[in-house]
Structures are given as C-alpha cells and as structure tokens.
Amino acid sequence: MSERIGVYPGTFDPVTLGHADIMRRGSKLVDKLVIGVATNPSKNPMFTTQERIEMVLGEVDRLGLSNIEVKSFDALLMHFAESEGASIIIRGLRAVSDFEYEFQMAGMNQQLNADIDLAFLMSDVLLTPIASKLVKEIALYGGNIEKFVSPDVKARVDDRIQQVGRLGTR
C-alpha cells in the first residue's frame, strides 16, 4: 500500500494558532503532510520565506508532529502537489467567505488535476476569527496578539515590529 501524502499550502505570514490547529488535525488524515509555504510576493509578506518556514517548523516541533515536512513553493498549487506525490490538498475554512473563495479554487484545481482530492477542515470555533493579515495589523498598531499565535511566533512578530516601527499612536 502506498503512502498517503497530503499538502497544506499557505503563506503563513505569520503562522497562527488557527494554522497550527489545521496542521495538527490534517496530519491525522495522511501518512505524510507537506506544509507548502508559498512565496507569493504579491501579498507583501512581513517575513521572508525562510523566516516563515522556520516559524512553521517551530510550530510543528511545539505540537510534536512527526509526519510533517515543510517546504517552500513558487508554482501552481497543483504542480507543487503533483511534485510531492500528494493525493489530497488540505485547506482550512473559517467563514463563508473562505468557502466561496476555496470553492472557486477547488473547481479550477480539479480542472488541472482531478486525481488530487481536496479536504476542507473547519477551524475550531475559538480560532475562527484569527487571520494572519489581522494579526499583523493588530501588532503593527501596538495591540496584543498573544491569543492568536504561539509565544515563539509572538516574539518574532514583536521583533519585526521593533525593526519596522509601529503604526498610529496608542
């Protein structure tokens, strides 16, 4: 029997507790889960690809997950999934708006490769509002992000904010 490989893609800028929840739950569905850290410069990332990989690796270690690999990719998701030998792509959903976007992407991806399935995992209800974009915005304006990211990620975000400076006033 062949190994069942899944891919969980994202920018992870920064990796949140919501991402960690999907990693933990997604790793139970496959023999090996490849977390694909997308380069996607159009999203104007706060962290470099290498820094995001390091953060994801830190979360994998924190969670004690042994069947996960972390890799960067700069290609169509389906091409990346094919290159990894994946039979499934795992995506997290927080809200209806996520579903609408993911549903459209699923249709396009199915046209590219109908042999790779897609699994949607609903976020834990307590983690639903967490989005990397909002975490960065809260941090940039001096807000506390400790409810949304692990302590290690919070420290990295705080360090980056020290480098780039906060926005607005308190």
Side-chain angles (χ1 to χ4, degrees):
M1 190 168 182
S2 64
E3 183 178 45
R4 186 161 171 85
I5 300 170
V7 167
Y8 174 35
T11 50
F12 305 103
D13 184 48
V15 62
T16 68
L17 295 178
H19 292 131
D21 179 55
I22 300 299
M23 288 177 208
R24 180 186 57 77
R25 293 171 41 222
S27 71
K28 295 177 184 178
L29 302 176
V30 292
D31 299 310
K32 179 172 85 171
L33 182 61
V34 178
I35 299 176
V37 179
T39 54
N40 203 347
S42 68
K43 286 197 170 185
N44 194 23
M46 177 180 272
F47 295 96
T48 67
T49 302
Q50 186 57 42
E51 290 169 328
R52 290 182 279 134
I53 288 171
E54 290 167 5
M55 280 190 279
V56 171
L57 285 168
E59 291 304 288
V60 169
D61 285 344
R62 182 178 68 81
L63 295 168
L65 302 172
S66 61
N67 66 330
I68 290 183
E69 290 183 16
V70 181
K71 298 181 178 183
S72 67
F73 74 101
D74 184 16
L76 285 174
L77 172 57
M78 293 310 279
H79 291 169
F80 176 66
E82 290 165 354
S83 73
E84 294 301 317
S87 59
I88 190 167
I89 294 171
I90 296 172
R91 298 292 289 161
L93 295 176
R94 294 173 306 211
V96 173
S97 59
D98 285 350
F99 178 78
E100 290 172 355
Y101 171 78
E102 293 294 344
F103 186 75
Q104 183 178 19
M105 291 301 296
M108 295 298 290
N109 286 333
Q110 186 179 31
Q111 295 295 317
L112 294 173
N113 186 335
D115 293 328
I116 299 178
D117 289 319
L118 187 63
F120 294 116
L121 296 178
M122 297 302 298
S123 293
D124 179 296
V125 70
L126 297 175
L127 303 174
T128 298
I130 302 173
S132 292
K133 180 180 177 180
L134 297 176
V135 168
K136 288 187 288 191
E137 188 172 328
I138 291 166
L140 282 165
Y141 281 98
N144 188 347
I145 60 169
E146 69 184 14
K147 293 180 182 178
F148 313 123
V149 296
S150 70
D152 289 344
V153 172
K154 181 184 181 307
R156 283 179 174 260
V157 172
D158 289 346
D159 287 347
R160 184 55 40 94
I161 299 297
Q162 290 285 7
Q163 294 170 8
V164 300
R166 287 206 161 94
L167 301 176
T169 59
R170 289 183 131 188

